[in-house]
């Protein structure tokens, strides 16, 4: 290169990359249970940046959600401090939103399932309790990733009674550019927010102080769960694109996307943290798959019949998005079998987005009741719940925590409908309505 050519090139030195360490004066919010440094499990390392507060299991039992929240406070305070060192705008506009979303919403159901599974499987020492709470916090971050991405992909604007992440960012930048560009930016920011939450979750699991044997099992389960979630979400989206009305497709997507992730995997992760034997983990896995599937079927019902004040989201989102839920697939199959053309037309218009009005949703509700789909799904929820609890009762668990865990499993499938559910269908009319193709049926 000639000297004159060299002068034409921009000679900019890249800024130095800061070390992502929290300022020495930073401290997490106080006031929740926790004390000094947790003793590491035998053979386990305590990585730099790992959660270091120790927790007495009996104290955590009194309020598991608060203890998980305390761990999240410490963890997110560290991550936000490091984000601020990296870039203040990023810390405020993205990392801060991820932290607030994770801290301020949700019932901590998955982390509570993990905790009580750990306790029921004999987890009694402080190091095991601390590891369980850390992985419970990781589950909450993974839930943030799932919800933020799900809302963005579905175009849902409401979550937990507040604007969804992509809608919040879009509104924040309204007027800065054209509406299309701002909308696109909000969606892109939501993708990055979910990615950040997932990265933080993975870091927490990798840094959990477990002995090598437990760590290997936990990380394999975590890896499986992440892939299951992605596979289920893909099947869900592919079903919308292709207008799939296959019941087996809907069941498979629901099992992978929600049933395993919401109930099955948290139960088995808790057992793995406690070092449970294979028989116990298999029993809890079988229970979790069935109760988890019942949980998802309940969610399908609540999307159409639920009270937004309880669900935290608007009714009819699955219908408007043309999602091939088990409830709708069953209604279509029953209407086709009976030659009920008016019902088929109502469902077709709704799923194609041609009638998204409140009156149109009322017509869909009427069809779901008239075809017997609602009653059949209610009956299947009862069957799957009963099957799951039989597997659960067959596991060898400590009595006190077992009762608490059983209560959580029972509550997971409870209705949040705005009106009372219809009478249960007679077994002859609702026999095995969701059974074909489901991996949970008949086991």
């Amino acid at each position: 290169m000639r000297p004159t050519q060299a002068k034409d090139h921009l000679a900019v030195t890249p800024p130095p990359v800061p070390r992502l360490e929290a300022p020495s004066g930073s401290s997490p919010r106080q006031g929740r249970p926790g004390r000094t440094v947790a003793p590491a499990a035998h053979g386990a390392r305590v990585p730099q940046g790992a959660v270091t507060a120790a927790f007495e299991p009996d104290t955590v039992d009194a309020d598991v959600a608060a203890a998980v929240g305390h761990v999240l406070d410490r963890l997110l305070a560290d991550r936000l401090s490091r984000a601020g060192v990296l870039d203040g705008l990023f810390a405020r506009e993205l990392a801060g939103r991820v932290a607030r979303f994770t801290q301020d919403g949700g019932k901590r159901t998955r982390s509570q399932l993990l905790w009580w599974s750990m306790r029921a499987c004999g987890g009694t020492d402080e190091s095991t309790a601390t590891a369980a709470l850390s992985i419970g916090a990781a589950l909450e971050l993974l839930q943030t990733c799932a919800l933020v991405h799900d809302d963005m992909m579905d175009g849902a604007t409401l979550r937990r009674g507040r604007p969804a992440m992509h809608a919040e960012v879009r509104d924040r930048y309204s007027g800065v550019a054209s509406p299309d560009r701002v909308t696109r930016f909000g969606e892109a920011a939501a993708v990055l927010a979910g990615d950040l939450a997932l990265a933080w979750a993975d870091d927490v699991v990798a840094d959990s102080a477990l002995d090598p044997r437990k760590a290997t099992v936990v990380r394999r389960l975590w890896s499986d769960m992440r892939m299951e979630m992605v596979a289920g979400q893909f099947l869900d989206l592919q079903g919308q694109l292709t207008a799939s009305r296959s019941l087996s497709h809907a069941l498979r997507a629901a099992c992978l996307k929600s049933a395993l992730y919401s109930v099955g995997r948290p139960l088995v992760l808790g057992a793995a943290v406690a070092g449970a034997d294979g028989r116990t983990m298999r029993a809890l896995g079988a229970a979790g798959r069935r109760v988890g599937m019942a949980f998802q079927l309940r969610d399908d019902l609540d999307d159409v019949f639920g009270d937004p004040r309880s669900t935290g989201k608007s009714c009819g989102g699955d219908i408007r998005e043309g999602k091939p839920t088990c409830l709708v697939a069953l209604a279509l199959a029953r209407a086709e079998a009976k030659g009920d053309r008016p019902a088929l037309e109502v469902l077709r218009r709704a799923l194609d987005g041609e009638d998204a009005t409140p009156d149109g949703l009322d017509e869909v509700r009427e069809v779901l009741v008239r075809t017997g789909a609602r009653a059949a799904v209610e009956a299947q929820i009862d069957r799957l719940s009963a099957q799951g609890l039989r597997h659960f009762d067959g596991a060898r668990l400590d009595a006190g925590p077992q009762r608490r865990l059983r209560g959580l499993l029972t509550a997971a499938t409870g209705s949040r409908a705005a009106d009372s559910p219809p009478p249960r269908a007679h077994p002859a009319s609702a026999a095995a309505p969701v059974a074909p193709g489901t991996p949970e049926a008949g086991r």
Side-chain angles (χ1 to χ4, degrees):
M1 179 181 292
R2 298 192 306 273
T4 54
Q5 289 179 311
K7 293 178 183 178
D8 294 333
H9 287 264
L10 207 58
V12 177
T13 302
V17 178
R19 294 188 64 184
L20 301 185
E21 295 178 354
S24 58
S26 66
S27 62
R29 295 204 301 258
Q30 301 297 320
R32 286 178 175 169
R35 51 185 194 79
T36 54
V37 176
H42 179 68
R45 63 184 183 89
V46 181
Q48 184 177 4
V51 175
T52 56
F55 294 86
E56 286 282 355
D58 290 341
T59 302
V60 175
D61 287 349
D63 195 342
V64 178
V68 173
H70 177 68
V71 172
L72 282 169
D73 286 349
R74 296 176 63 89
L75 167 70
L76 292 171
D78 170 73
R79 296 310 191 269
L80 289 178
S81 294
R82 294 169 63 194
V85 171
L86 184 63
D87 184 82
L89 180 63
F90 162 72
R92 292 191 304 273
E93 294 286 328
L94 194 74
R97 280 191 165 87
V98 172
R100 288 192 297 274
F101 187 99
T102 306
Q103 289 172 306
D104 296 341
K107 298 177 181 178
R108 312 282 187 237
T109 302
R110 292 164 182 82
S111 49
Q112 290 191 65
L113 287 170
L114 186 151
W115 173 264
W116 287 111
S117 176
M118 178 276 295
R119 294 289 276 143
C121 291
T124 58
D125 60 278
E126 288 186 1
S127 62
T128 300
T130 302
L133 289 174
S134 296
I135 297 169
L139 278 176
E140 298 301 328
L141 284 163
L142 187 62
Q143 173 75 341
T144 292
C145 169
L147 294 181
V148 168
H149 282 175
D150 196 49
D151 288 343
M152 185 272 298
M153 286 185 271
D154 289 346
T157 58
L158 191 66
R159 171 64 65 180
R160 294 171 177 168
R162 298 189 295 270
M165 181 79 72
H166 65 282
E168 181 183 32
V169 175
R170 178 200 64 201
D171 294 345
R172 160 74 175 83
Y173 284 88
S174 177
V176 171
S178 69
D180 285 348
R181 288 187 64 193
V182 172
T183 297
R184 178 63 178 159
F185 175 74
E187 293 171 347
V191 172
L192 294 173
D195 289 349
L196 184 61
L198 177 60
W200 286 350
D202 285 347
D203 289 346
V204 174
V205 173
D207 287 346
S208 295
L210 293 165
D211 68 53
R213 185 184 67 83
K214 291 180 182 179
T216 298
V217 177
V218 165
R219 288 163 193 167
R220 177 57 186 269
L221 289 169
W222 184 264
S223 176
D224 289 346
M225 179 176 62
R226 290 185 312 166
M227 188 178 298
E228 290 158 359
M229 289 173 60
V230 174
Q233 182 69 6
F234 172 77
L235 292 176
D236 194 37
L237 292 169
Q238 194 269 352
Q240 293 179 54
L241 177 69
T242 61
S244 171
R245 303 295 181 255
S246 164
L247 184 56
S248 61
H249 183 103
L251 287 163
R252 188 64 180 164
C255 180
L256 290 171
K257 180 184 175 183
S258 184
L260 290 172
Y261 159 64
S262 296
V263 183
R265 291 307 188 188
L267 288 182
V268 180
L269 279 167
V273 170
D277 59 39
R279 180 180 180 276
T280 301
M281 292 182 66
R282 286 190 295 272
L284 289 174
R289 286 194 300 275
R290 288 159 177 81
V291 175
M293 197 66 195
F295 170 85
Q296 180 54 45
L297 293 176
R298 174 62 65 196
D299 193 63
D300 291 349
L301 285 171
D302 284 344
D303 181 77
V304 183
F305 296 98
D307 184 346
R309 292 170 298 182
S310 299
T311 63
K313 55 185 179 179
S314 58
C315 283
D318 290 348
I319 300 296
R320 284 189 292 271
E321 292 300 316
K323 280 194 176 185
T325 66
C326 303
L327 174 65
V328 171
L330 182 60
L332 285 164
R334 287 181 166 229
E336 288 174 355
K338 295 178 180 178
D340 189 342
R341 292 184 178 277
L344 289 170
E345 181 61 20
V346 166
L347 293 172
R348 185 197 65 78
R349 287 200 312 269
L351 293 171
D352 289 346
E354 297 175 15
D355 193 357
T357 64
D359 288 343
L361 187 57
D362 284 341
E363 286 188 316
V364 171
R365 291 190 184 101
E366 190 276 331
V367 166
L368 294 175
V369 173
R370 176 159 55 84
T371 59
R374 182 183 183 184
V377 169
E378 290 275 7
Q380 185 69 351
I381 290 170
D382 288 348
R383 277 192 290 272
L384 286 167
S385 297
Q387 291 172 5
L389 291 175
R390 282 197 296 272
H391 282 279
F392 178 78
D393 292 340
R396 293 174 293 194
L397 303 173
D398 292 353
Q402 188 265 4
R403 287 192 296 272
R404 298 291 293 271
L405 185 54
R406 199 179 198 280
L408 285 173
L409 294 176
T410 301
T413 60
S415 175
R416 293 178 292 175
D419 59 337
S420 298
R424 295 288 189 265
H426 187 277
S429 63
V434 188
T438 176
E440 285 73 30
R443 294 186 184 177

